[in-house]
Amino acid sequence: NPCLEVFPQATVRVIGAGGTHKSKKHGYEAQRAAAARHTGWSDAELETQLARAAWAPNHDILDAYLCAWVAALPESKREACGDPDAGDVIWVPRV
């Protein structure tokens, strides 16, 4: 499998939650809720799973989750920001 470059800030912009920085409580909660909507979890379920996933600041765990989610999407559910043929691309979810 090819290595895919993903960027959490690009992902949260695409899913409509990039308005407030993730380091602020409201920003983290908005990003987590948007991620839940797009990945099939309830917000409460995702919050619980992220808390169990790692020992790190919440926003860093959410970033890791978003990166893994986008990288695991089938090609038909990803969108390129940049030129994949030139190797200059960041992948985001297709919404």
Side-chain angles (χ1 to χ4, degrees):
N1 291 334
C3 181
L4 301 177
E5 186 168 354
V6 297
F7 188 59
Q9 187 61 26
T11 297
V12 297
R13 291 272 177 200
V14 169
I15 63 175
T20 303
H21 194 268
K22 66 182 181 183
S23 63
K24 303 212 180 317
K25 184 179 185 216
H26 173 72
Y28 166 74
E29 291 172 349
Q31 289 181 19
R32 188 192 65 226
R37 281 192 304 277
H38 288 278
T39 62
W41 296 87
S42 73
D43 187 32
E45 289 172 321
L46 183 56
E47 179 179 27
T48 298
Q49 294 303 320
L50 292 175
R52 292 178 180 165
W55 292 50
N58 290 341
H59 60 84
D60 289 339
I61 299 168
L62 180 59
D63 278 356
Y65 174 74
L66 291 169
C67 290
W69 168 54
V70 174
L73 288 172
E75 190 172 338
S76 63
K77 303 228 178 196
R78 290 190 318 256
E79 189 170 332
C81 293
D83 183 358
D85 295 328
D88 182 23
V89 63
I90 293 172
W91 294 95
V92 295
R94 183 167 299 185
V95 295

